[in-house]
Amino acid sequence: MKLSDPEKSVNRFRPPPRFIWPAGQHCAAMLCFDVDGETTALSEDAALARRRTLMSQCEYGPRIGVPRLLGLLAHLELPATFFVPGYIAEHHPRMVEAIVAAGHEIGLHGYLHEKLTTLNEAEEEAILLRSLEILTRLTGSRPVGFRAPWFEINPWTPALLAKHNFAYCASEMGDDVPYFHDNGLVEIPGQWLLEDWEQFAFNADPAWGFVPENCEKVFDLWWREFAAMHDYGCCFVLTLHPWLIGRPSRAQLLEDLVGAMCERGGVWFARGREIADYFKKTPEARREMDFDSLKTSSVAKP
Ligand SMILES: [Zn+2]
């Protein structure tokens, strides 16, 4: 695996960091696991429940992927954020307990992994409250983070999240560091580039994904983005699905990637709620770039 060589790039473009991270760290890293499980199929069509091979592939995530990944995270001594649909939490309550017992954060991810764009505001709020009740009951504390199923929110979603006291949303893709929505809700943006679905998902019928990629290529893809985000002071948000990244070779890919990130040093591995807390307490940490959103004249050049 070829890593970019920091020594070769003395003349490389090195802008000032986008964000000032705690304790002098160069960048933040949020490891996210979206435990979609059976809802991957059921949200598409409830009749797929009788398709045993398909459903067993979905169940692999909560049943095999999550325990393996919890073991890996414990081995690496790193925190993570698990976004769990309410339906999955209800059907795998001991998995939820195990995630919480290991010290990881649990955030909301719909009830049945609904496409929010198919819902009106009242429907979306009802699903939010139902999921919130389930996860609060099963985890023993009130979740503060939300990741939209399918990575898509509605215009009113930030208002709903703020109304129900969420600290952050991790669903948009408008930056490479956290930003505030107009109502003060923190957004921790992700990117399709840093998602395992595009790299590894495949199912014959219904047709999902493409030809599963080689781990070496994916390591290179993610490492290069990480290394550059490290240089630029960004927030590396990696979004993973236990039925995909929990496969043996891919768990080792994750171990290799995170191991290389630790070796690079200066990485603040944090749960979503910690990133949101830090940003709320330290809003000046963020360095604006968008010429048309600048509210002051004191911002440096990009
Ligand atoms: Zn999902």
Side-chain angles (χ1 to χ4, degrees), residues 34-36 39-40 83 85 109 113 147-151 195 241:
D34 292 5
V35 191
D36 299 348
T39 67
T40 312
F83 294 105
H109 196 47
H113 207 265
R147 153 78 47 76
W150 309 96
F151 259 123
E195 246 259 3
H241 297 80

Side-chain angles (χ1 to χ4, degrees), residues 4-218:
S4 42
D5 178 1
E7 301 305 321
K8 77 177 181 191
S9 53
V10 261
N11 290 321
R12 181 163 275 193
F13 171 55
R14 290 193 189 279
R18 291 296 320 283
F19 218 87
I20 306 303
W21 297 106
Q25 306 281 35
H26 287 277
C27 69
M30 178 177 170
L31 304 177
C32 307
F33 297 93
D34 292 5
V35 191
D36 299 348
E38 297 90 314
T39 67
T40 312
L42 298 179
S43 62
E44 196 166 314
D45 180 0
L48 292 174
R50 63 185 288 275
R51 298 269 304 278
R52 274 310 305 155
T53 298
L54 170 65
M55 293 309 294
S56 71
Q57 181 176 229
C58 295
E59 291 162 7
Y60 182 94
R63 294 181 55 241
I64 308 299
V66 170
R68 177 171 292 140
L69 294 163
L70 287 177
L72 175 61
L73 290 167
H75 176 74
L76 296 168
E77 299 183 345
L78 290 176
T81 306
F82 288 73
F83 294 105
V84 184
Y87 177 95
I88 296 299
E90 281 181 329
H91 286 78
H92 302 276
R94 290 185 186 169
M95 175 200 74
V96 171
E97 273 177 34
I99 294 170
V100 173
H104 304 296
E105 177 182 354
I106 291 194
L108 267 67
H109 196 47
Y111 177 74
L112 201 66
H113 207 265
E114 298 84 1
K115 276 199 168 98
L116 299 190
T117 50
T118 66
L119 305 174
N120 64 34
E121 187 171 351
E123 291 167 336
E124 183 177 334
E125 185 172 28
I127 288 167
L128 187 73
L129 292 175
R130 182 182 186 189
S131 309
L132 185 60
E133 185 279 317
I134 292 166
L135 287 180
T136 301
R137 176 163 42 82
L138 292 176
T139 63
S141 64
R142 197 177 195 278
V144 297
F146 175 80
R147 153 78 47 76
W150 309 96
F151 259 123
E152 191 66 78
I153 62 171
N154 284 313
W156 54 75
T157 305
L160 283 181
L161 294 175
K163 177 181 172 186
H164 295 292
N165 298 313
F166 282 80
Y168 73 93
C169 179
S171 312
E172 289 196 342
M173 301 189 178
D175 207 328
D176 38 41
V177 291
Y179 53 94
F180 288 112
H181 289 271
D182 289 343
N183 62 6
L185 181 75
V186 173
E187 181 68 40
I188 306 175
Q191 228 293 324
W192 295 119
L193 165 69
L194 296 175
E195 246 259 3
D196 61 354
W197 181 279
E198 289 64 36
Q199 307 305 321
F200 295 134
F202 178 78
N203 191 66
D205 175 25
W208 294 342
F210 311 97
V211 177
E213 290 287 359
N214 183 300
C215 288
E216 191 165 353
K217 175 231 148 178
V218 178

